Amino acid sequence: MHHFLKETDFSLEQAQEVFTLAKELKANRLNGPRALNQQSWGLLFYKSSTRTRISFEVGVNELGGYPVVLNSQTTQIGRGETIEDTARVMSRYLHGLVIRTYGHEIVEAFAEHASMPIVNGLTDFNHPCQLYADIFTLLERYSPEAMDIASLRGKKVAFLGDTACNMANSWIHTAAMFGMDITLAGPDGFAPSATIDAALKADGLPKNYRITQDAEEACQGADVLYTDVWVSMGNEAEAEERKRRMAPYQITTELLALANPNAYFMHCLPAHAGEEVSQAVLDSPQSIIFDEAENRLHAQKAILAKLVELNR
Ligand code: CP
C-alpha cells in the first residue's frame, strides 16, 4: 500500500507527475479526470483546520468521490478505541483516509494497520500536503509551462521564527529532496530535532540546512522568505515566552528588502500579523499566500489521484 506521510513518499519522478497533474486539474477544475470515481475517503481531524478540511472535502468531491468528515472526539477514538482496530474497521468502509493529528506515530500506526492509503494532513512532525502546494505555487512562477522540478535547484529559502516546528521540518525535507538551499533563523534553543536529521538519513538525503540566529543573514539574497505562527497548536502554554524570544524574527519590509528583488513571501496560514510577519509584508506584491492557500486544493487532488494510480 502506497501512503503519503512525508514528502519523499513520492519519488522525484512521481512528484513531477503530481505537479504536472495539479496544473491540469487547476486548469480544468470541474471537468477533470474523476480519479476517485464513487470512492469514499475519510477526513479525520484531531485538531482544528480551515484550509486542509475544506480543500480535501472539496477536492474529494471534485474527483468524483464522497468525503466523510470525522472528528476524533466524536468517534470511538475519543473514548479509547485503538488505532489498530479503528484503522481496520475504517478500511472496511473507506477507500482512503486523510488524518490531521498530533504525534507522527499516529499516522504511521494507521498506515501500518489500514488496508487503504493514508494521507498525512499535518502532524507535530511535518505537513507534506502543505509543502506540495507550496512547491506547486513556486513552480507556477519558476517553470509555468513545464512545471519542471529542476527549476527549483539552487533556489535559496529562508525560514524564520519557530525553526523547530513541523513546517520547518517539512521545508528541510523538501529542500533536500529538490536540491534547494535552506537557512533557518530563530532563537537559541529552537534548532530542528534529531528526528528530521534521521529522516533525511533514512532517505539518503544530505543534511544540507544551515541554522543561524541572525535574521538578516538568512534573508540576504533569498528567493523565498517563509514563516509560520510562533505558537503552534499544542504550544499555547508557552505563548508569551515564544512571542518574546521570536520577536527579532518577524518578517518585515526591511528583511524582505535584503532578499532577491524577485523573492516571494510565503506562509502556510493562518497568519498572525504583527507577530511572525508584518501586515505590510502580508499585503505586499511579493506575497503569494493566497495562491498557496488555493493550491492546497489542486496539489492535494493530484496527490490523491496519484495514490489511487499507485495502489491500483
Ligand atoms: N495551512 C493549514 O494547514 O491550514 P489549516 O490549519 O487551516 O488546515
Side-chain angles (χ1 to χ4, degrees):
M1 187 59 61
H2 202 123
H3 305 288
F4 185 68
L5 306 188
K6 62 184 190 299
E7 294 77 7
T8 48
D9 281 345
F10 289 134
S11 66
L12 283 175
E13 187 182 0
Q14 290 165 347
Q16 178 67 74
E17 289 163 0
V18 166
F19 298 126
T20 303
L21 177 58
K23 180 185 172 188
E24 289 168 21
L25 292 170
K26 185 171 183 175
N28 198 14
R29 182 169 162 188
L30 297 182
N31 297 304
R34 298 182 60 87
L36 302 190
N37 186 28
Q38 296 197 331
Q39 292 193 359
S40 295
W41 277 64
L43 312 176
L44 173 60
F45 289 85
Y46 291 64
K47 284 182 172 181
S48 304
S49 170
T50 297
R51 281 145 287 269
T52 306
R53 154 82 199 262
I54 298 171
S55 56
F56 269 113
E57 186 166 354
V58 170
V60 168
N61 181 58
E62 289 182 3
L63 289 171
Y66 177 75
V68 183
V69 182
L70 300 159
N71 181 300
S72 64
Q73 285 307 309
T74 53
T75 66
Q76 297 291 2
I77 297 169
R79 297 181 61 247
E81 186 167 17
T82 64
I83 291 175
E84 182 175 345
D85 285 356
T86 305
R88 287 180 169 155
V89 169
M90 286 187 174
S91 297
R92 301 288 179 112
Y93 306 124
L94 301 170
H95 298 90
L97 180 65
V98 179
I99 306 171
R100 163 165 291 199
T101 189
Y102 294 92
H104 195 72
E105 68 280 0
I106 296 174
V107 291
E108 290 179 329
F110 268 99
E112 183 183 345
H113 299 293
S115 52
M116 61 184 164
I118 302 297
V119 175
N120 175 358
L122 178 143
T123 68
D124 291 345
F125 176 63
N126 66 358
H127 197 359
C129 290
Q130 178 70 54
L131 264 291
Y132 270 56
D134 292 347
I135 292 298
F136 177 63
T137 307
L138 289 172
L139 289 175
E140 289 184 312
R141 286 153 178 85
Y142 295 147
S143 177
E145 294 303 321
M147 304 298 282
D148 184 357
I149 56 173
S151 66
L152 300 165
R153 291 200 77 78
K155 293 285 191 244
K156 294 178 69 175
V157 179
F159 190 104
L160 269 68
D162 184 359
T163 51
C165 73
N166 48 9
M167 282 302 302
N169 286 338
S170 267
W171 261 108
I172 290 169
H173 217 157
T174 300
M177 179 178 178
F178 294 113
M180 302 171 85
D181 175 295
I182 184 164
T183 302
L184 301 107
D188 191 23
F190 285 85
S193 74
T195 314
I196 185 61
D197 294 342
L200 293 176
K201 193 172 176 188
D203 284 332
L205 293 170
K207 184 184 167 185
N208 65 346
Y209 61 90
R210 283 183 297 282
I211 308 173
T212 177
Q213 289 168 30
D214 185 338
E216 293 187 3
E217 179 194 326
C219 294
Q220 199 82 45
D223 298 298
V224 176
L225 299 191
Y226 206 105
T227 191
D228 191 6
V229 293
W230 290 340
V231 185
S232 294
M233 288 179 273
N235 299 135
E236 289 78 6
E238 309 161 13
E240 291 315 309
E241 169 77 359
R242 283 171 161 264
K243 287 179 195 174
R244 186 181 62 74
R245 298 201 51 210
M246 292 182 192
Y249 303 95
Q250 180 187 105
I251 298 187
T252 59
T253 48
E254 290 76 18
L255 285 179
L256 188 56
L258 296 175
N260 178 334
N262 300 319
Y264 297 110
F265 170 72
M266 302 182 81
H267 191 308
C268 53
L269 303 180
H272 291 189
E275 292 186 13
E276 74 274 8
V277 58
S278 70
Q279 188 67 55
V281 170
L282 284 167
D283 294 339
S284 83
Q286 288 167 269
S287 170
I288 55 174
I289 56 175
F290 295 113
D291 284 351
E292 259 186 284
E294 177 190 336
N295 284 336
R296 294 290 303 276
L297 171 65
H298 313 300
Q300 289 163 189
K301 284 172 68 179
I303 289 167
L304 298 184
K306 175 55 75 179
L307 285 174
V308 169
E309 177 197 317
L310 292 172
N311 288 314
R312 207 167 270 144

